[in-house]
Amino acid sequence: MTTASLQLDYVSSDELARQPAAWWGTVLGVVGFERPPQVDLVHVPVTASMTPPLGATDDLCEVWRVAGDQSLELSTASLRQGRVHYRYCGEFLFGSIAIDEDAVDGEGSAALLRATVTAYQEIFAVLEQTQHRHLIRVWNYLPEINREADGDERYRHFNFARQTAFLDSGRSTVGTVPAACALGSPAGSPISIYFLASHRRPRMIENPRQTSAFHYPLKFGTHSPTFSRACLLSESVGTSLFVSGTASIVGHETIHHGDVTAQTRETMANINALLDEANRVVGSDLYSLDGLKFKVYVRRPADLAAIERALSATVRASTPIVYLQADVCREDLLVEIEATGVAAC
């Protein structure tokens, strides 16, 4: 039997509406950006990152699908457990959860902490039930990520809560943690998390140019971020490399303060280093910039043109790139870039 493979597509709402039933039978989940896409689907999880699109990204959706024989084994309808909406096949699971901080007990940072811990507890419960125990990639979006609350930045409160949830579930917070990102969404948005998981253990990749996030010094908070720099699906075709949100950080320090062009170039240097490390781990030159799709988070919309120019010097004009407006986890970071990669044949 052919192993199932993941496929990422960026499609417009009009394209979604024109897809035949057979196509929808292979879809694990759909992600809108500023808001959930207007599609009437009871059998597919639909969510949104709550981050406004920029430029030509307007009206695009992110679609995760499966191919291969196991696509025929997709659950016939999306399922719900608690607040988690998910769909899966034998190999992979896509899920999403959204929680309004106002809907949980507590105020200020206490509400953020409770909502985050609750979200991850419910995610882990689904993974244990379906036996897709291994998180591959997690996308986290929380409102006003850089705002101070109760004496500390909301992102640092989030890191404490995320780490607490991992530990409470018996999961490691170093080494085997998934690829991930955490971006700021507008005030009033829910905490929105979506994720991919597998029943097989992936391989985690770290960047030789950077301190592993889970080993950051205390100056960045008493609880380090819980993510790996990249994640690799061993022996998998299709989309098999997941590069976490990456920025202009060397070692553990932000560099090129205030210079968005230089930050973009440094970010791409980090992504190239991750590609080299992934190829070293697999023992072959399977991954390159030509096989990547990018999602670019822009703190200041006025910087979009400069970022596009910097990227045009590095990637092909035909490379799929989605641009979104979002606050990055450090206030001195102006751009963050994530990527997914397909191995060369």
Side-chain angles (χ1 to χ4, degrees):
M1 178 180 289
T2 303
T3 300
S5 63
L6 282 168
Q7 181 174 328
L8 168 63
D9 299 316
Y10 291 120
V11 301
S12 69
S13 296
D14 287 344
E15 288 177 287
L16 282 182
R18 293 196 299 267
Q19 296 301 328
W23 186 86
W24 284 108
T26 69
V27 175
L28 286 169
V30 179
V31 182
F33 298 127
E34 189 167 19
R35 63 185 64 86
Q38 299 301 306
V39 289
D40 183 18
L41 296 170
V42 296
H43 59 293
V44 174
V46 176
T47 189
S49 62
M50 315 307 292
T51 50
L54 296 172
T57 303
D58 192 31
D59 194 41
L60 287 182
C61 299
E62 179 178 320
V63 179
W64 288 97
R65 303 170 54 212
V66 290
D69 289 348
Q70 288 198 30
S71 64
L72 301 178
E73 300 172 17
L74 267 170
S75 54
T76 56
S78 63
L79 304 171
R80 289 187 181 272
Q81 180 170 318
R83 279 166 281 231
V84 179
H85 196 188
Y86 64 100
R87 197 180 194 199
Y88 66 94
C89 64
E91 183 78 12
F92 301 113
L93 179 147
F94 173 97
S96 66
I97 184 170
I99 297 182
D100 285 305
E101 291 173 59
D102 292 343
V104 300
D105 294 335
E107 297 180 355
S109 63
L112 171 61
L113 293 171
R114 183 177 292 275
T116 302
V117 169
T118 298
Y120 272 90
Q121 286 175 337
E122 294 191 9
I123 289 168
F124 293 145
V126 167
L127 301 189
E128 293 297 333
Q129 177 177 304
T130 65
Q131 299 184 359
H132 295 74
R133 191 174 191 280
H134 303 290
L135 279 172
I136 300 167
R137 179 65 161 93
V138 185
W139 290 262
N140 303 279
Y141 301 91
L142 56 147
E144 301 180 289
I145 192 172
N146 301 130
R147 180 169 63 81
E148 185 175 301
D150 298 325
D152 211 347
E153 191 179 48
R154 280 171 56 81
Y155 177 57
R156 296 186 180 187
H157 290 300
F158 168 80
N159 282 333
F160 168 63
R162 174 170 55 176
Q163 190 175 115
T164 296
F166 270 72
L167 291 172
D168 287 350
S169 72
R171 291 170 178 262
S172 174
T173 57
V174 299
T176 58
V177 291
C181 60
L183 284 303
S185 54
S189 301
I191 296 173
S192 179
I193 302 172
Y194 66 98
F195 58 95
L196 289 164
S198 173
H199 84 278
R200 291 191 300 166
R201 186 184 299 276
R203 303 171 78 173
M204 307 310 179
I205 307 293
E206 293 301 310
N207 188 344
R209 302 181 81 235
Q210 295 180 307
T211 304
S212 296
F214 42 77
H215 290 319
Y216 274 174
L218 287 175
K219 65 179 288 186
F220 295 107
T222 56
H223 294 80
S224 296
T226 306
F227 71 92
S228 296
R229 296 295 182 186
C231 175
L232 183 65
L233 296 177
S234 303
E235 302 175 3
S236 180
V237 295
T239 299
S240 54
L241 177 66
F242 298 83
V243 176
S244 295
T246 304
S248 182
I249 297 171
V250 176
H252 56 260
E253 297 286 359
T254 299
I255 62 173
H256 309 303
H257 292 260
D259 187 337
V260 71
T261 298
Q263 285 199 14
T264 304
R265 291 170 178 161
E266 198 68 55
T267 300
M268 291 305 296
N270 279 326
I271 290 175
N272 273 305
L274 282 167
L275 289 172
D276 290 343
E277 184 65 8
N279 287 331
R280 185 194 68 79
V281 168
V282 300
S284 180
D285 292 336
L286 293 181
Y287 300 100
S288 69
L289 286 178
D290 290 347
L292 297 185
K293 295 179 180 178
F294 295 94
K295 195 187 295 180
V296 181
Y297 300 99
V298 181
R299 179 180 289 276
R300 305 180 306 205
D303 288 335
L304 176 61
I307 294 169
E308 288 178 319
R309 285 194 298 271
L311 289 177
S312 68
T314 304
V315 301
R316 296 183 302 181
S318 59
T319 298
I321 305 178
V322 168
Y323 293 94
L324 303 171
Q325 194 282 313
D327 291 336
V328 187
C329 62
R330 296 186 189 179
E331 285 193 285
D332 53 11
L333 291 172
L334 303 176
V335 61
E336 178 171 310
I337 303 175
E338 65 180 59
T340 57
V342 176
C345 297

